[in-house]
Amino acid sequence: QVQLVESGGGLVQAGGSLRLSCAASGRTFSINTMGWFRQAPGKEREFVSAISYTGRATLYADPVKGRFTISRDNARNTVYLQMNSLKPEDTAVYYCASGARTIPTTQASLYDYWGQGTQVTVSS
């Protein structure tokens, strides 16, 4: 089993920044890809970003390209999501996910473990 705990969410004004963290514990040796997804009220969960174990491969959803940056520190078993130039439409619960795949994917069904989520609210 892998446990994922997100932190760093909060309330921020449009144009501001937040940095989300996701700390993994348990069978962390089984983790390769890590990703971030989000779910806004009344909407389905959507892909945000993903990163390979080495960090060399990353994926971003079009709405966040150029504003969000994913990174990871394998020594700390932690993945980060730096979010800049935040917009009200970024408001959502952000979830961290981990998977055994070596190649990052946008498909939620291919991730094995999920965190409980952290709320991000961007005011206009």
Side-chain angles (χ1 to χ4, degrees), residues 31-34 51-53 55 70-74 78-80:
I31 297 174
N32 281 309
T33 294
M34 295 197 75
I51 188 168
S52 64
Y53 180 82
I70 192 170
S71 61
R72 66 191 293 170
D73 182 342
N74 292 330
T78 301
V79 64
Y80 305 97

Side-chain angles (χ1 to χ4, degrees), residues 1 6-8 12 14 17 27 30 39 41 50 75-76 86 97 100:
Q1 291 280 2
E6 303 97 334
S7 61
V12 64
S17 298
R27 297 171 63 88
S30 67
Q39 187 166 18
R76 297 177 184 269
L86 283 161

Side-chain angles (χ1 to χ4, degrees), residues 1-2 4 6 22 30-38 45-53 57-61 70 72 79 95-115:
Q1 291 280 2
V2 172
L4 302 173
E6 303 97 334
C22 173
S30 67
I31 297 174
N32 281 309
T33 294
M34 295 197 75
W36 288 96
F37 290 75
R38 67 186 182 185
R45 189 171 299 189
E46 64 176 4
F47 171 77
V48 175
S49 183
I51 188 168
S52 64
Y53 180 82
T58 57
L59 292 174
Y60 294 95
I70 192 170
R72 66 191 293 170
V79 64
Y95 297 91
C96 173
S98 70
R101 288 173 55 90
T102 56
I103 300 174
T105 178
T106 63
Q107 298 183 54
S109 61
L110 297 180
Y111 289 84
D112 304 310
Y113 298 99
W114 293 81

Side-chain angles (χ1 to χ4, degrees), residues 10-12 14 38-41 43 46 67-68 83 86-94 118-124:
L11 173 64
V12 64
R38 67 186 182 185
Q39 187 166 18
K43 295 187 178 181
E46 64 176 4
R67 300 188 298 122
F68 291 10
M83 306 187 295
L86 283 161
K87 304 175 181 180
E89 50 264 44
D90 294 318
T91 294
V93 177
Y94 282 71
T118 185
Q119 176 70 48
V120 171
T121 304
V122 184
S123 63
S124 57

